[in-house]
Amino acid sequence: MKKLVEILPDKQALIERSLTLVLEKMQSAIQERGQCTLALSGGSTPKPLYEALAEQPLPWEKIQVFWGDERYVPSDHPESNQRMARQAWLDRVSIPAANIHPMPTSAGDPARDAQNYETELQQWFKLHSGEVPVFDIVLLGIGDDGHTASLFPRTEALKVSDRLVTVGNKDGQPRLTFTARLINQARCVIFLVAGESKRPALKQIFAPSGDEMTYPARLVQPKGELWWLLDKAAGAELNST
Ligand code: 6PG
């Protein structure tokens, strides 16, 4: 794993930097493998990045979009990560519908939908059971509590080591989430973190030692590159490399 930390002066600079990094990783994936596989994070931070991506002249047919986590709500629900990314970006570009792979939330059973998405990943990546897909880019955020994706502190999802997708739990509300096992196969993981409220969790995540059950983002140790793009409000007390 190669860890890189950049602290940007403000949120606008953070978004601009994240755009250049994502575009760079997309273009190298397309040059090397003919396509780019990208897993999106939800929440509010990445929305301006998605809006900026919608303005880019990219070979959309070569870009495959997945989600790293999803609230267990209908796709038209205000809380849906799929809905946010479609409105900010995907509905605004000519990306083929077949290149968009949302997490299913319609089975009425989060565990069944988690299995459905795991099966979809295995089929799409043409893998045998037990093999783990290697995403070109996984975008992540962190919550004030140190969660990432929908891997929340002290939940069973953190212990899942034999799956690609599992059921997360936020205050009793089910979510679907990539497992740490899947995230950590990625060629490039990019954390996008903004705001002073993230500062305490970042200090714990960056500490030389700490409890992964309390700060799940500590579980993210990808085989490839690990990028932390922070605005100064979030990362003021950390040393950037
Ligand atoms: C989600 C996200 C989640 C998010 C963090 C940060 O579904 O909410 O995937 O992990 O990245 O909660 O959210 P903000 O960007 O809104 O602070």
Side-chain angles (χ1 to χ4, degrees):
M1 178 185 84
K2 182 180 178 185
K3 181 177 175 182
L4 304 101
V5 182
E6 292 186 17
I7 299 176
L8 288 306
D10 54 35
K11 178 136 185 225
Q12 177 61 34
L14 170 68
I15 296 304
E16 288 166 3
R17 176 64 183 115
S18 65
L19 177 64
T20 58
L21 181 62
V22 168
L23 290 175
E24 174 196 319
K25 298 303 178 184
M26 278 180 168
Q27 280 148 2
S28 58
I30 291 167
Q31 280 162 9
E32 291 165 25
R33 289 175 292 280
Q35 65 180 9
C36 173
T37 53
L38 166 68
L40 303 184
S41 69
S44 58
T45 304
K47 186 175 178 183
L49 167 61
Y50 300 160
E51 290 166 341
L53 282 165
E55 306 297 326
Q56 302 303 313
L58 288 168
W60 296 113
E61 73 285 355
K62 295 179 179 177
I63 293 170
Q64 299 286 342
V65 178
F66 299 79
W67 273 261
D69 74 319
E70 183 59 277
R71 292 82 182 275
Y72 203 68
V73 295
S75 58
D76 61 354
H77 189 284
E79 288 291 304
S80 166
N81 288 337
Q82 175 190 174
R83 179 177 181 267
M84 183 272 277
R86 283 185 184 277
Q87 289 183 345
W89 169 21
L90 301 173
D91 288 352
R92 299 171 53 204
V93 298
S94 56
I95 186 169
N99 288 30
I100 300 173
H101 311 272
M103 287 186 158
T105 58
S106 57
D109 172 0
R112 190 177 329 143
D113 270 327
Q115 180 57 60
N116 291 341
Y117 202 59
E118 177 156 332
T119 302
E120 181 179 348
L121 292 177
Q122 284 169 332
Q123 289 172 348
W124 194 88
F125 281 87
K126 297 183 176 60
L127 297 178
H128 299 300
S129 178
E131 290 183 313
V132 184
V134 179
F135 278 84
D136 292 308
I137 305 167
V138 174
L139 297 178
L140 293 173
I142 62 161
D144 296 357
D145 62 358
H147 81 259
T148 191
S150 284
L151 300 168
F152 287 89
R154 294 173 293 281
T155 58
E156 288 308 303
L158 304 184
K159 301 173 188 169
V160 176
S161 58
D162 59 348
R163 305 294 304 277
L164 304 178
V165 184
T166 192
V167 179
N169 180 317
K170 178 180 184 179
D171 307 329
Q173 295 304 311
R175 296 190 169 190
L176 302 187
T177 184
F178 278 13
T179 57
R181 176 177 180 238
L182 176 51
I183 292 169
N184 285 336
Q185 288 299 314
R187 293 186 179 89
C188 180
V189 172
I190 303 173
F191 277 99
L192 222 51
V193 186
E196 189 165 350
S197 70
K198 307 295 174 72
R199 203 177 287 186
L202 277 173
K203 283 187 74 175
Q204 296 296 329
I205 294 162
F206 275 63
S209 63
D211 177 13
E212 295 166 346
M213 291 298 287
T214 308
Y215 293 96
R218 292 181 66 93
L219 290 166
V220 178
Q221 307 284 336
K223 286 188 175 176
E225 296 179 350
L226 174 57
W227 287 81
W228 285 90
L229 300 183
L230 316 171
D231 72 357
K232 190 170 182 182
E237 296 170 39
L238 303 176
N239 300 318
S240 63
T241 51

